[in-house]
Amino acid sequence: MVGAGTIGLAWAALFAHAGLEVRVTDPRDDLDAAVDEALPMLAESIPGADVAALRSRITATDDLAKAVENAQLVQENGPERLEFKQQLFAEIARHAPADAVLASSSSGIVASAIAAELDEDVAARLLIAHPFNPPQVVPLVEIVPGATAEEVVQEAIAFYRDLGKTPVRIHEEVDGFVANRLQSALMRESISLVQQGVVSAEELDAVMKASLGGRYATIGPFESFHLGGGPGGIRHMMAHLGVGMADRWAELGRPELDDATITSLVEQTETAYGSGPDAYRERARLRDRKHNAINSALDGIEADPNATA
Ligand SMILES: NC(=O)c1ccc[n+]([C@@H]2O[C@H](COP(=O)([O-])OP(=O)(O)OC[C@H]3O[C@@H](n4cnc5c(N)ncnc54)[C@H](O)[C@@H]3O)[C@@H](O)[C@H]2O)c1
């Protein structure tokens, strides 16, 4: 685990819970303390996890070479800057085994850019494995290959599936991949509606949680459209409501994130949910409990789709 910030520490806990020996490296002075401090809350959010058991499988070191020398898979979670990741992966490749999978958690930088100056055999082992925050709770891992060998892509998909994640292969190296592009589209319209005073930030969240949030956890936008058309499915839906939807695209907002807008969004959000470390911990715990409840309910239904509710 290279980089022990928000994402690296969460991945470390999840990897350790899966029984893997995890070596975490980060130049931060407080690395050991950061692991100790993060684990109790992370363990709380991983069903069945035990802090002491997780801690016994995690070794912290400031020596990158030692951290990666026997790794089956390296998960990189350093700062989101291209040149930084290019140098970091050059260093990782010097010390990791020649058959290790080299994965970056990057939210938007593509693998072929990171590998641009690296040897072909290193580029062939490097890909993006992008989690959605918090990675120990949210199932998705976007697998975005660059010049990656097919067997490495398959190995990575199998690795994250074995961790209990839902890996989805992305076929083109588009900026922001898929989940964050969808989030950007939603945030754009959400900010526009709040900016216009149609709803407050808290009311918008209420609308979302009571409608699209649950819907999209159970069926995606396309299946939803298909079912929304009744027995005629998406064919009927497109003929019936498709044109109206396309007309509405033209009037979706394009809000500017100017100072006044940011101030208003921050004030509304902090008033609704509090601010500072204590409020953060309380809200994050609640988020993780709710998300885990959804995960386990859906797992149960997937396991027995014909049971009645
Ligand atoms: N935070 C999110 O919501 C989120 C979600 C998905 C993916 N990501 C991606 O994960 C990566 C990490 O993001 P984060 O939010 O955890 O950042 P963060 O700032 O919390 O952590 C980054 C860590 O990298 C460490 N670091 C700096 N130089 C290093 C080096 N040479 N070797 C090892 N570690 C080094 C820093 O000390 C810090 O602890 C980024 O690429 C980001 O795009 C973030």
Side-chain angles (χ1 to χ4, degrees):
M1 197 61 59
V2 177
T6 310
I7 298 300
L9 289 169
W11 267 140
L14 190 72
F15 283 25
H17 182 61
L20 300 170
E21 290 298 326
V22 187
R23 290 196 189 166
V24 179
T25 188
D26 190 307
R28 62 191 284 180
D29 299 335
D30 63 340
L31 180 57
D32 264 304
V35 174
D36 289 337
E37 210 170 286
L39 277 186
M41 199 167 135
L42 288 166
E44 229 179 83
S45 65
I46 302 174
D50 168 72
V51 180
L54 296 184
R55 191 66 183 92
S56 70
R57 295 195 198 99
I58 300 176
T59 314
T61 170
D62 60 2
D63 185 341
L64 183 132
K66 278 216 182 81
V68 304
E69 67 187 359
N70 294 315
Q72 170 198 356
L73 179 140
V74 177
Q75 184 84 39
E76 178 276 327
N77 319 277
E80 183 76 349
R81 294 200 306 275
L82 176 59
E83 304 73 42
F84 191 92
K85 289 201 191 285
Q86 286 173 329
Q87 283 167 21
L88 196 52
F89 272 100
E91 179 78 2
I92 289 168
R94 266 195 289 283
H95 301 289
D99 60 352
V101 175
L102 307 179
S104 172
S105 295
S106 173
S107 309
I109 301 174
V110 296
S112 52
I114 297 173
E117 305 291 321
L118 299 177
D119 290 346
E120 257 176 47
D121 64 315
V122 177
R125 290 186 284 123
L126 199 155
L127 44 65
I128 305 297
H130 172 239
F132 223 49
N133 192 48
Q136 78 282 13
V137 174
V138 180
L140 179 69
V141 181
E142 290 177 307
I143 302 290
V144 198
T148 324
E150 184 55 29
E151 72 211 46
V152 175
V153 177
Q154 293 307 326
E155 197 180 331
I157 289 173
F159 177 84
Y160 295 103
R161 189 168 290 137
D162 287 350
L163 270 185
K165 300 277 101 183
T166 304
V168 177
R169 183 183 190 147
I170 309 299
H171 301 290
E172 296 287 333
E173 290 187 303
V174 290
D175 180 42
F177 315 132
V178 173
N180 272 328
R181 289 181 79 94
L182 293 173
Q183 180 165 252
S184 296
L186 193 64
M187 277 309 280
R188 187 176 103 176
E189 187 57 16
S190 301
I191 290 172
S192 170
L193 289 166
V194 171
Q195 196 184 39
Q196 292 173 60
V198 176
V199 278
S200 69
E202 192 175 11
E203 287 163 346
L204 187 128
D205 283 354
V207 169
M208 185 71 198
K209 287 184 288 185
S211 60
L212 296 179
R215 171 185 284 180
Y216 289 165
T218 55
I219 50 173
F222 288 106
E223 188 177 358
S224 168
F225 232 58
H226 195 35
L227 294 174
I234 191 167
R235 287 172 193 277
H236 172 65
M237 195 65 166
M238 283 294 176
H240 175 49
L241 293 177
V243 177
M245 177 180 68
D247 286 347
R248 200 176 303 132
W249 289 339
E251 52 172 79
L252 290 177
R254 285 192 161 271
E256 294 289 323
L257 271 186
D258 52 32
D259 289 349
T261 304
I262 291 173
T263 302
S264 163
L265 293 173
V266 167
E267 277 175 10
Q268 290 191 44
T269 308
E270 289 188 348
T271 303
Y273 306 115
S275 59
D278 289 344
Y280 165 73
R281 273 190 288 274
E282 188 191 325
R283 303 294 314 178
R285 272 206 179 95
L286 194 55
R287 170 200 62 191
D288 296 349
R289 276 180 51 211
K290 289 182 184 180
H291 211 308
N292 277 323
I294 292 172
N295 291 348
S296 61
L298 292 177
D299 282 350
I301 293 176
E302 301 285 341
D304 188 4
N306 294 319
T308 47

